[in-house]
Amino acid sequence: MILRRITEHVKAQNWFAIFLDFIIVVVGVFIGIQVSNWNAARGDRAKEAAYLTQLIDDMTADLAQIDRVANVASTRMAVIALVLDQADLTPPPATFHFQDCAFEPCSGLLTFEPKAPFSSDHPAAANDALSDLRLYNPVRHTYDALISSGDIGLLRNGVVRRNLQAYYANAREVEKSEQGILSYSHDLRV
């Protein structure tokens, strides 16, 4: 329809009408592209909100896991302190230092404060505490999906994006440290 009108205007050499038709087409295309961009941006914001909600769920699960690992480690440290004390040996150190932190802030310092003292009256409980080994295994599903799909750019806040990357880089360093400790303890038993 518009093409037929333009053809008629060209034959009649009505330059004002041709210019007006041209403006209508350009404005229509512009509005169509803009509406499409708005819809895409709205979809991106919805995806960003969904990712952030999932990341909060993943990190909440991580925090619960970290609490369990820390409680088990503190209990094990209390048993080790008891055994070393009864053997008249030096108590274990109160702090440990991780050598590699991928991103700052990370002091690398981990402090253990035994939560419950053990007594030699309950050797089974002490043995159970020593054999209970919990490892930190961060929940990475959402972060890995963000990285593999390239959707990490959907997170508009650069600080959030950098802190998220630092969090998972540091989590990986903790996992590597734990695997090193596990490998070392396995080598000692062999």
Side-chain angles (χ1 to χ4, degrees):
M1 176 166 168
I2 190 88
L3 185 58
R4 187 169 31 104
R5 279 192 351 196
I6 291 175
T7 307
E8 289 171 6
H9 293 308
V10 168
K11 285 180 186 177
Q13 294 186 355
N14 186 350
W15 301 116
F16 178 75
I18 293 171
F19 176 74
L20 191 60
D21 288 342
F22 178 75
I23 294 297
I24 289 171
V25 169
V26 168
V27 168
V29 168
F30 174 76
I31 289 172
I33 290 172
Q34 192 62 38
V35 167
S36 176
N37 288 343
W38 288 333
N39 284 335
R42 190 175 62 208
D44 287 349
R45 298 300 63 89
K47 281 175 79 173
E48 177 190 33
Y51 275 131
L52 289 172
T53 299
Q54 292 170 351
L55 284 166
I56 289 169
D57 292 345
D58 289 355
M59 290 183 176
T60 301
D62 283 354
L63 288 174
Q65 190 180 143
I66 289 168
D67 282 344
R68 286 191 297 275
V69 169
N71 286 333
V72 167
S74 293
T75 303
R76 292 180 82 201
M77 291 302 289
V79 172
I80 291 169
L82 172 70
V83 169
L84 292 176
D85 181 55
Q86 288 187 353
D88 290 328
L89 296 173
T90 307
T95 60
F96 292 96
H97 189 268
F98 290 107
Q99 293 179 356
D100 299 320
C101 288
F103 290 92
E104 294 299 327
C106 177
S107 68
L109 193 61
L110 180 62
T111 303
F112 282 105
E113 295 178 14
K115 298 207 176 197
F118 275 86
S119 70
S120 56
D121 299 336
H122 302 289
N127 187 43
D128 289 345
L130 283 175
S131 62
D132 187 8
L133 180 61
R134 305 281 171 104
L135 297 178
Y136 173 60
N137 187 15
V139 180
R140 300 179 54 97
H141 309 302
T142 306
Y143 180 72
D144 289 343
L146 278 168
I147 297 300
S148 65
S149 67
D151 284 347
I152 191 76
L154 289 177
L155 303 180
R156 293 175 287 174
N157 189 323
V159 173
V160 169
R161 209 172 31 246
R162 282 188 300 280
N163 286 340
L164 186 64
Q165 291 167 332
Y167 172 80
Y168 282 106
N170 285 330
R172 182 66 192 127
E173 291 302 318
V174 170
E175 284 181 297
K176 284 177 23 183
S177 296
E178 285 181 338
Q179 290 303 321
I181 292 169
L182 208 58
S183 175
Y184 177 74
S185 67
H186 182 269
D187 291 346
L188 289 177
R189 284 186 263 159
V190 173

